[in-house]
Amino acid sequence: KYKAIGEDLWKERTKKINAELFAMTYGAPVVQLIQGYDDYGEVIKQLEKMGFNISTRLIEDFLALSNFGRCTDFKETGEVTAKV
């Protein structure tokens, strides 16, 4: 059910970028973090923080674009975000 909704929603609206461009743009901040911190543990913490912020933004954009109603429970929330 949710997979079909997701395919219909994002079929024509998804902007795609080249994989090499993505790797370069992601790699640049990683290199800066490694150069900025002596401790790799701190680099990992910063990357986790970045990932959390990016994930939050993606979910907010998804909710704004999809006009999807409220989920009734956590299971439905997981299905919607995974499939739509």
Side-chain angles (χ1 to χ4, degrees), residues 72-83:
T72 56
D73 57 14
F74 190 71
K75 180 180 177 184
E76 184 181 8
T77 303
E79 287 183 20
V80 168
T81 55
K83 296 178 181 176

Side-chain angles (χ1 to χ4, degrees), residues 29-78:
V30 172
V31 169
Q32 286 181 341
L33 285 171
I34 291 171
Q35 291 172 346
Y37 293 99
D38 294 330
D39 179 22
Y40 286 116
E42 188 61 34
V43 172
I44 298 298
K45 286 180 187 177
Q46 293 298 320
L47 289 172
E48 287 176 351
K49 184 177 175 183
M50 289 171 56
F52 177 81
N53 291 336
I54 291 168
S55 300
T56 301
R57 176 66 190 268
L58 287 172
I59 295 297
E60 288 175 349
D61 286 350
F62 160 73
L63 293 173
L65 294 173
S66 68
N67 294 324
F68 207 84
R70 285 189 175 263
C71 296
T72 56
D73 57 14
F74 190 71
K75 180 180 177 184
E76 184 181 8
T77 303

